[in-house]
Amino acid sequence: MKKKGDLEFDVVLKILLALVILLIILGLIFIFKGKAVNILEKIKDVFRFGA
């Protein structure tokens, strides 16, 4: 018999997996934040000097 507040293990596992993936994505964004700005600046320089 399922109670109203009862969470199954697979639901908790899915929530934890989603949180881990979200933390990994946020970490990657934080790590590559400065490098992405440098890449965009290089692309701007190519178009500025190429035209």
Side-chain angles (χ1 to χ4, degrees):
M1 193 158 115
K2 280 185 112 174
K3 295 181 182 178
K4 200 172 192 180
D6 190 25
L7 286 178
E8 293 184 12
F9 182 71
D10 59 340
V11 174
V12 174
L13 189 64
K14 288 178 185 177
I15 292 172
L16 286 175
L17 185 63
L19 285 173
V20 168
I21 291 173
L22 183 65
L23 287 174
I24 290 172
I25 291 173
L26 288 173
L28 288 175
I29 289 172
F30 183 73
I31 289 171
F32 292 120
K33 187 176 177 183
K35 292 180 183 179
V37 172
N38 290 337
I39 291 171
L40 289 174
E41 289 297 323
K42 288 180 183 179
I43 291 172
K44 286 181 187 177
D45 288 341
V46 167
F47 285 124
R48 189 176 302 145
F49 292 122

